[in-house]
Amino acid sequence: MHGLMMDNPLLISSIVEHADINFQDREIVSVVGDGSLHRYTYGDCFKRVRKLANALAKLGLSEGDRVATMAWNDYRHLEAYYAIGGAGYVCHTINPRLFPEQIVFMINHAEDKWIMIDPLFIPLIEKIAPQISDVEGYIVMGDEDSIVNTNLDNVISYESLIKDESEQFEWPLLDERAAMGLCYTSGTTGDPKGVLYNHRATILHAYALIAPDAMNLSNRDCILPVVPLFHVNSWGSPYGAMIVGAKIVYPGPKMADGETLYNLMEEEKVSVSLGVPTVWLVLLQYAAENNKKLNSLQRTIIGGAAVPESMIRDFQDNHDVFVQHAWGMTEMSPLGTVMSLKHGMDQLSQDEMVNLQIKQGRGMFGVEMRIVDDNQKILPWDGEAFGALQVKGPWVCSDYFKLKGSAGAHTEDGWFDTGDVAKIDPQGYMQITDRTKDVIKSGGEWISSIEIENTAIGHPAIAEAAVIGVASEKWTERPLLIAVKSKDQEASKDEILSFFKGKIAKWWIPDDVVFIEEIPHTATGKIKKTALREQFSDYQSSE
Ligand code: AMP
């Protein structure tokens, strides 16, 4: 017997309807191309969202067609999210930092019909245009002036596209399982793989992320998502923020600029921010060098890579900002775990608290987790055993776009294998110890490269650290620390190695440290260990 409840589909257009009625005056502030601030309200935003939806329909698009965006975090990109997805098309967000060949692959694989681009990316698109000839046209996210100097075919400016359109739009009543977003995840090997989001997953994920034990978003918040709109839906923030009507602040092209981030936080009274550790390094450095304190920020949600202990302490000790470590991935919309306190934890000592914050947080309702060994045997949540982390849930991908199961990322019993290795403590706090591919096995035992890296970063002379396994006759593999020195700091190898004593297991301590000028990164800011392994493939371990 079915229950007698209305069967309203969960659609992102319902966020527009709700927020437009309830939060008309709430502000959205964006840094735009010339560095100035653009400021308008939710009400203004939704008028333009509906104009854009009308304009897209006139381009001859059909339900499910892909419209790509290549843009920084600003108000036009936000409008594109809602207009494209809400109107029944699929918003394919492209990371402009990827290699041009990867971008070409994604556009062709996705069969993008139109591409919306920030004026800054016109040269990049002009270069690859001959290789993406199936694209029907380009919308440059600016006014008429933004397209005067381009030789792209069939190009129109965003402002002229929407200028004469109606502010009314009848949102289609779509199937909640209809696709609305597409984001490619570029592993370190092979072609990028497309994760195809639907309305239902996106709404459920948004409900989950605003909850008190997740991001705790409310109407009283002012949110600064530094995580790009092209990186896993900016962690769901466009949806979560607009469900509650939070003020939104976007850094535009200035997302890696400490001064801009600091000023935005202070002047706009930002209470919560989201981003990867690299971005916060820049902000914290700016604050330290200029003797400034973050006065309004209350908490920051950091994920995408492990947060070093020193960063948690810097935020807390110098700025009174609570770091909420989070973990997820493109395939998971992205949230899987978020750090939040359980009852009775308010009394933790500072060190105990930091030890908890270093972990990636605990599972949210909606994501089931398990860790398994090499034989798929389920491991206990004892904080000791670590194994492959597998997940399941309504906002976890069931397959990759067009791959029809060939990626082999799912187990026979329907779990998604994250490719991460983790341990989970009895309270449910999960800690990533490695990527499966990066695991170092020494004398038959696993060593966590992440834990060594995070400890290394705690040394003042180390700005960035990466640990890889190098061949060892005796132990099969041993950890090698590769580090970039902090500006104006010196330390000998021995000093660095003795710094580990008492902080990690003795046999985890790397045998050697190599200093290099720069550690290679992927387009999403992660350490490119494949490149390092290649670079150090001839390295001889000193047994
Ligand atoms: P992406 O799909 O690009 O967001 O990358 C997802 C991967 O980033 C995960 O599978 C993890 O390996 C890594 N990752 C994400 N968040 C964290 C975190 N908080 N700590 C360590 N690794 C993380």
Side-chain angles (χ1 to χ4, degrees), residues 312-331:
I312 295 172
R313 289 192 189 273
D314 192 346
F315 267 118
Q316 191 66 53
D317 299 349
N318 299 321
H319 304 282
D320 212 8
V321 171
F322 188 69
V323 169
Q324 278 182 280
H325 201 168
W327 165 85
M329 51 198 311
T330 310
E331 289 88 336

Side-chain angles (χ1 to χ4, degrees), residues 185 231-232 235 302-307 325-331 334 360 418-420 432 434-435 450 524 526:
T185 169
H231 187 206
V232 218
W235 299 351
I302 313 185
V307 187
H325 201 168
W327 165 85
M329 51 198 311
T330 310
E331 289 88 336
Q360 275 73 4
T418 64
D420 285 325
I432 301 277
D434 259 309
R435 290 290 295 162
I450 293 186
T524 46
K526 295 181 203 235

